[in-house]
Amino acid sequence: MLVENGILADHSSPNGDEEPKAVTEARSRLSDAQNDVANTRSEIENSKKDLTEDYGKKGIFRALKGQCITKDSGEYTYELCFMSRTTQISKKGSGNTGMGDFKRLETMTVDEEVPSDGKGVGSGERVVMIFEDGQYCWNGPNRSTKVVLTCAENNEIWKVVEEEKCVYRMDIGTPAVCESAKPKDPEAGAKDEL
Ligand code: MAN
């Protein structure tokens, strides 16, 4: 009625209510461009976050990010995902327990006897990865893990101990620290080049 009386413009077209093709196309270009902007923004945020992370001297741990290694130990399998998290996995199927998220790198001086298979921290200064804010521990602290790194040929968890309730220590071997670790014997000197 309003159209008939000339109060409203007549938008009806021979093809019904469809908007002109050019408008549809422009709308779709706009939405593509908006998606591109959103994606680029999130890439910027990820890169910024990555730059604030502590990958150690010369970024030696950057290559390990995302890699996970495990070890069977008693009723649990323990998992370390480098620069990410540690997890206690129940073999009886009662689920996973977060043992901490990666927070920072520290160093620690150790002096321990090395077992005959060579899989021990030995003596000297070691890089330590600190994981905190893990799953809440009843009557205790949130779970946390100290991962002690010693030069070795392969990435491998050697030992996991619960030093205090819900405070874990993981000793691992990894080629990532061979440059800075003191070789255990003259033969090991070659590993220093890794
Ligand atoms: C679970 C495990 C243990 C821990 C207790 C604490 O059984 O995470 O390592 O000591 O919870 O209640």
Side-chain angles (χ1 to χ4, degrees):
M1 193 269 273
L2 291 173
V3 171
E4 262 166 32
N5 292 324
I7 294 166
L8 278 185
D10 184 3
H11 289 297
S12 67
S13 63
N15 339 338
D17 287 336
E18 278 167 35
E19 66 183 5
K21 204 167 161 233
V23 175
T24 313
E25 282 170 0
R27 207 185 293 284
S28 141
R29 280 198 303 275
L30 170 64
S31 133
D32 286 352
Q34 280 168 336
N35 284 340
D36 286 349
V37 170
N39 288 339
T40 305
R41 280 219 177 97
S42 105
E43 274 170 32
I44 291 173
E45 283 317 305
N46 288 343
S47 302
K48 273 189 188 160
K49 188 162 171 273
D50 194 56
L51 284 171
T52 63
E53 281 200 50
D54 186 359
Y55 288 109
K57 272 186 212 151
K58 299 186 199 159
I60 50 171
F61 300 121
R62 197 174 276 276
L64 288 174
K65 192 179 181 178
Q67 281 190 51
C68 301
I69 51 177
T70 58
K71 178 174 178 61
D72 270 15
S73 178
E75 50 178 312
Y76 303 106
T77 298
Y78 288 94
E79 181 180 62
L80 160 67
C81 293
F82 285 101
M83 317 309 288
S84 172
R85 76 188 89 82
T86 49
T87 312
Q88 185 183 51
I89 302 159
S90 165
K91 288 192 205 164
K92 292 177 193 150
S94 50
N96 293 358
T97 302
M99 296 161 62
D101 295 328
F102 176 68
K103 298 292 168 180
R104 64 189 174 276
L105 297 169
E106 290 183 357
T107 56
M108 174 178 149
T109 304
V110 292
D111 184 12
E112 292 173 24
E113 232 164 85
V114 180
S116 56
D117 62 6
K119 297 179 178 182
V121 298
S123 306
E125 186 164 272
R126 298 286 173 263
V127 176
V128 179
M129 289 181 176
I130 305 290
F131 296 76
E132 288 171 345
D133 298 336
Q135 199 163 309
Y136 172 74
C137 178
W138 189 74
N139 255 349
N142 279 4
R143 288 174 174 80
S144 63
T145 315
K146 203 194 294 180
V147 179
V148 186
L149 282 65
T150 303
C151 166
E153 236 170 285
N154 302 305
N155 291 314
E156 187 184 359
I157 300 174
W158 288 335
K159 191 166 98 178
V160 185
V161 288
E162 191 168 346
E163 292 188 316
E164 286 165 51
K165 193 174 169 194
C166 297
V167 177
Y168 306 86
R169 173 175 151 180
M170 232 183 233
D171 293 343
I172 73 158
T174 173
V177 291
C178 289
E179 229 183 349
S180 53
K182 285 194 191 119
K184 285 179 199 159
D185 59 59
E187 303 280 331
K191 285 186 197 158
D192 241 21
E193 303 299 319
L194 283 175

